Amino acid sequence: MKKSNSPTMKDVAREAGVALGTVSKVINGIPVGESYRLHVEAAIEKLGYCVNSYARGLKTNRTNCVALLMPSLYHPFFATLTDELTACLMRHGYRSMLMITNYDPEAEKKCLILGHENKVDGVIALTYSPDLKPDDSTAMVTIDRHCGDSIPCVSSDNYRGGEIAAEKLAELGCRRLLFMAVASDIPGEVDKRGGGFEAACRRLHIAYEQIILHDRDTEAPFYDFLLRHIREGVPDFDGIFCNTDRLACRMRDFLLRQGIRIPEDIQLIGYDGITDYATGRYTCSTIVQPIAQIAETAVSLLLDTTGLAVPTNICLPVHYAPGGTTRE
Amino acid sequence: MKKSNSPTMKDVAREAGVALGTVSKVINGIPVGESYRLHVEAAIEKLGYCVNSYARGLKTNRTNCVALLMPSLYHPFFATLTDELTACLMRHGYRSMLMITNYDPEAEKKCLILGHENKVDGVIALTYSPDLKPDDSTAMVTIDRHCGDSIPCVSSDNYRGGEIAAEKLAELGCRRLLFMAVASDIPGEVDKRGGGFEAACRRLHIAYEQIILHDRDTEAPFYDFLLRHIREGVPDFDGIFCNTDRLACRMRDFLLRQGIRIPEDIQLIGYDGITDYATGRYTCSTIVQPIAQIAETAVSLLLDTTGLAVPTNICLPVHYAPGGTTRE
């Protein structure tokens, strides 16, 4: 992993017959006389001079590099979000320094320090540490979880998504609803899915129950709960909203094994909009997160191109999509 | 995105009462007298001095940064591979600069230039350009596709995987086999899956046919072929090896719609070892790629910690896993 002796800016200046400062101006896009610019560009071409972004990073205090903190790429939501964030940063001329944190708050803190050491211009984080703070000089945007009022958080409109799920189940004929959720200790935008669902149920005068488990627990209480609510093959509920597609798919599989028909006996809606990689189809009926727009908004806020006062939260619109677990 | 006036090495030297060179040695792990080291460390702690990796990159010509070129993170194989590569690089003290190339050879070339501008220590690429070449000073390792004999390529043992698929289908009672593949113009390790399958079929004296389509074509010829080979509900084949899990899942869905029972009438094996994100189960019976070992091997080769002569190709062992499309 040796480095070659690449031509320097001095070599370019000598070749072009101009001052070093002129080369610097051309490289940094500062106007110079047309003939100077052409000489410098010809010299760059001839020598194969390559901009040294590290030296530029030191000089201008900008590195055009953004750290992305992600828990894992094994979950398709995180993977596609990372894809869209990186592609969007590249379109803006930024590079993406990916860091995998494995849902570990200590690893997240170490990654922030590493980002600071590497003079990243900013951080986009999907974190599990509510107290994660970059140093004062590093811009940060979070996704789905808040890290204080000075750090904007971008998410899908989780509350509205919960409302849409209840409204859709009601429209499809459901009269006894259940909300099932896996929640974490760390408060986040995701928690609002249940609030929106409940509010819509009340407004629509539809009976509902809920069962919420901690994400470190097993799913056994979900299964016990469902079994208690199936009497002689007839379930107490005719519609279920799960706070993730993953949970909806798992509950569908469990209910099918109990002889419950989906969607005839129970209709199920999840949240996320995960598609099957082989068929491209939604894995269940779902509230779809606008992943590309979440990525674009997070990047725009970080690069401060929105002209907005720094918001604490930006929620982007979601929509319902059928995926086989509802009657439409 | 302003930068604060962070303390410099000079500030640390002044605080510790030592020469600048001594601070530099401590930071770079070069031995100095114990009391000097303790003074420098105390000064670093007190001032909150943070190593400037950019300055270090210029000085030592190492940046501890590796560019990862990936076509997309929408496919779970690329996403989990990127996860494992990044986690492995981080364990070795390296950072991962992720670049998404969208299967576009021109974008891949631009990404290589960008990596060079940023003085990356190396490149790990899953590319669609057989002529992709880093500059002479940048180490490179590819995955699945070759870019010349001087650049090691890491892959699963695709040939052996094809053999295992044929052997397993034979063991499970199949006597008339079919190989279905989607192939690209760009030659790669993946092409060997068919070769291994054929060789094993011949060795086992099992009849086989094959149909191979270009990845830019539609799947219609696959469907036409299968329909021609189902007469009065009885298929000509009792076992199919598809060169990816994605293809196997799509063919399973098509055959089920034709009233063919899977695995009773036809057994199907794919390749990749993709698991369903919700259940963790394999999406079909499959030849499993050792993704974590591929990542570790690629990183070890790039960082040159293997002690091996530079190999042109390293194939890692695969295994068969049942996933519902075979009788076991």
Side-chain angles (χ1 to χ4, degrees):
Chain A
M1 303 222 296
K2 61 194 186 303
K3 299 285 174 176
S4 64
N5 287 320
S6 309
T8 64
M9 259 168 62
K10 278 185 194 166
D11 299 325
V12 173
R14 198 175 304 121
E15 175 70 29
V18 302
L20 192 58
T22 307
V23 178
S24 170
K25 281 179 183 166
V26 171
I27 288 168
N28 290 296
I30 298 163
V32 297
E34 178 71 2
S35 74
Y36 287 114
R37 187 174 60 77
L38 293 174
H39 275 104
V40 170
E41 285 175 359
I44 286 173
E45 177 78 24
K46 181 174 172 196
L47 298 177
Y49 171 75
C50 185
V51 177
N52 180 339
S53 295
Y54 271 76
R56 195 160 58 177
L58 274 174
K59 197 82 171 195
T60 64
N61 262 343
R62 289 177 77 95
T63 57
N64 279 24
C65 187
V66 168
L68 290 189
L69 272 62
M70 284 287 154
S72 161
L73 300 185
Y74 276 79
H75 194 297
F77 175 69
F78 299 146
T80 51
L81 181 62
T82 300
D83 181 300
E84 296 287 352
L85 283 166
T86 297
C88 186
L89 284 166
M90 289 173 75
R91 285 196 297 275
H92 281 86
Y94 281 76
R95 291 164 294 111
S96 157
M97 186 188 296
L98 176 63
M99 298 176 178
I100 301 292
T101 59
N102 281 315
Y103 305 87
D104 173 1
E106 286 310 307
E108 291 173 350
K109 282 171 197 165
K110 281 183 193 158
C111 287
L112 259 197
I113 293 170
L114 190 63
H116 182 47
E117 284 183 9
N118 285 285
K119 306 279 176 198
V120 294
D121 288 335
V123 175
I124 299 177
L126 202 154
T127 102
Y128 285 75
S129 327
D131 56 345
L132 200 65
K133 291 270 176 296
D135 68 48
D136 292 340
S137 63
T138 307
M140 179 161 159
V141 173
T142 62
I143 292 171
D144 279 350
R145 289 174 195 279
H146 292 273
C147 290
D149 284 344
S150 63
I151 297 171
C153 174
V154 182
S155 65
S156 68
D157 193 338
N158 289 281
Y159 190 88
R160 179 69 195 126
E163 289 182 327
I164 291 172
E167 290 162 7
K168 180 53 73 174
L169 288 170
E171 182 192 322
L172 295 171
C174 296
R175 288 301 167 256
R176 289 148 299 138
L177 296 182
L178 173 63
F179 174 60
M180 304 184 83
V182 174
S184 134
D185 284 335
I186 320 293
E189 282 297 304
V190 170
D191 302 338
K192 297 180 182 172
R193 293 171 191 176
F197 181 78
E198 282 189 58
C201 286
R202 283 195 301 270
R203 202 170 55 239
L204 296 162
H205 305 291
I206 292 190
Y208 67 91
E209 285 196 49
Q210 64 174 32
I211 174 166
I212 301 177
L213 294 185
H214 194 281
D215 60 6
R216 65 172 167 248
D217 295 334
T218 74
E219 285 173 347
F222 280 146
Y223 303 137
D224 292 343
F225 181 93
L226 290 172
L227 289 177
R228 278 201 311 278
H229 287 84
I230 301 171
R231 276 169 283 206
E232 295 173 13
V234 181
D236 288 348
F237 305 103
D238 54 9
I240 302 178
F241 173 45
C242 292
N243 77 333
T244 67
D245 284 350
R246 181 176 189 278
L247 184 60
C249 289
R250 294 177 69 84
M251 293 306 115
R252 173 193 53 201
D253 289 356
F254 176 76
L255 289 165
L256 289 172
R257 285 198 300 275
Q258 308 310 314
I260 303 297
R261 294 169 304 164
I262 309 286
E264 294 82 356
D265 299 328
I266 294 183
Q267 301 187 70
L268 261 171
I269 295 179
Y271 196 109
D272 276 340
I274 304 293
T275 52
D276 178 79
Y277 85 103
T279 61
R281 287 196 293 262
Y282 291 111
T283 56
C284 58
S285 297
T286 183
I287 305 300
V288 182
Q289 295 212 48
I291 295 185
Q293 290 94 307
I294 290 172
E296 281 163 19
T297 304
V299 169
S300 293
L301 283 170
L302 191 77
L303 305 184
D304 199 15
T305 60
T306 61
L308 293 174
V310 177
T312 53
N313 192 199
I314 288 192
C315 295
L316 295 164
V318 293
H319 70 273
Y320 167 78
T325 56
T326 47
R327 287 186 207 155
E328 186 255 14
Chain B
M1 305 222 292
K2 61 196 184 302
K3 299 285 173 178
S4 64
N5 287 320
S6 310
T8 64
M9 257 167 66
K10 279 185 192 165
D11 298 326
V12 173
R14 198 175 304 121
E15 175 69 29
V18 301
L20 193 58
T22 307
V23 177
S24 171
K25 282 180 182 165
V26 171
I27 287 168
N28 289 297
I30 298 163
V32 298
E34 178 72 3
S35 76
Y36 288 114
R37 187 175 60 77
L38 293 174
H39 275 105
V40 170
E41 286 176 357
I44 286 172
E45 176 77 25
K46 181 176 172 192
L47 298 177
Y49 171 74
C50 186
V51 176
N52 180 339
S53 296
Y54 272 76
R56 194 159 59 177
L58 275 174
K59 197 81 170 195
T60 64
N61 262 343
R62 289 179 77 94
T63 56
N64 278 25
C65 188
V66 168
L68 291 189
L69 272 63
M70 284 286 152
S72 161
L73 299 185
Y74 275 79
H75 193 296
F77 175 69
F78 300 146
T80 52
L81 181 62
T82 301
D83 182 299
E84 296 288 351
L85 283 167
T86 297
C88 187
L89 285 166
M90 289 173 74
R91 284 195 297 275
H92 281 87
Y94 280 75
R95 292 164 293 111
S96 158
M97 187 188 295
L98 177 64
M99 297 176 177
I100 301 293
T101 60
N102 280 316
Y103 305 87
D104 174 2
E106 287 310 308
E108 291 173 350
K109 284 171 195 164
K110 280 183 194 158
C111 286
L112 259 198
I113 293 170
L114 191 63
H116 182 47
E117 284 182 8
N118 285 284
K119 306 276 176 198
V120 293
D121 288 335
V123 176
I124 298 176
L126 202 155
T127 101
Y128 285 76
S129 327
D131 56 344
L132 199 64
K133 291 272 178 294
D135 68 45
D136 291 340
S137 63
T138 306
M140 181 159 156
V141 173
T142 62
I143 292 172
D144 279 350
R145 287 173 197 280
H146 292 274
C147 290
D149 284 344
S150 62
I151 297 171
C153 173
V154 182
S155 65
S156 68
D157 193 338
N158 290 280
Y159 190 87
R160 179 70 195 125
E163 289 182 325
I164 292 173
E167 291 162 5
K168 180 53 74 172
L169 288 170
E171 181 193 322
L172 294 172
C174 297
R175 290 298 168 258
R176 289 149 298 137
L177 296 182
L178 173 63
F179 174 60
M180 306 185 81
V182 175
S184 135
D185 285 335
I186 320 291
E189 282 297 304
V190 170
D191 302 338
K192 298 180 181 171
R193 293 172 191 174
F197 181 78
E198 282 190 58
C201 286
R202 284 194 301 269
R203 202 170 54 238
L204 295 164
H205 304 290
I206 293 188
Y208 67 90
E209 286 196 48
Q210 64 174 34
I211 174 166
I212 301 177
L213 294 185
H214 195 282
D215 61 5
R216 65 173 167 248
D217 296 334
T218 73
E219 285 173 348
F222 281 145
Y223 303 138
D224 292 343
F225 181 93
L226 290 173
L227 289 178
R228 277 201 312 277
H229 287 84
I230 301 172
R231 277 169 280 207
E232 295 174 12
V234 180
D236 288 348
F237 305 103
D238 54 10
I240 302 177
F241 173 45
C242 292
N243 78 334
T244 67
D245 285 350
R246 181 176 188 278
L247 184 60
C249 289
R250 295 176 69 84
M251 292 307 114
R252 173 193 53 203
D253 290 357
F254 176 76
L255 289 166
L256 288 172
R257 284 198 301 276
Q258 308 310 314
I260 304 296
R261 293 168 306 163
I262 310 284
E264 293 81 356
D265 300 329
I266 294 182
Q267 302 188 69
L268 261 171
I269 296 180
Y271 196 109
D272 277 342
I274 304 292
T275 51
D276 178 79
Y277 86 102
T279 62
R281 287 195 293 261
Y282 291 110
T283 56
C284 57
S285 297
T286 182
I287 306 299
V288 182
Q289 295 212 48
I291 295 185
Q293 290 94 307
I294 290 172
E296 281 162 20
T297 304
V299 169
S300 292
L301 283 170
L302 191 78
L303 305 184
D304 198 16
T305 61
T306 61
L308 292 174
V310 178
T312 53
N313 191 200
I314 288 193
C315 296
L316 295 164
V318 293
H319 70 272
Y320 166 77
T325 57
T326 46
R327 287 185 206 156
E328 185 255 15

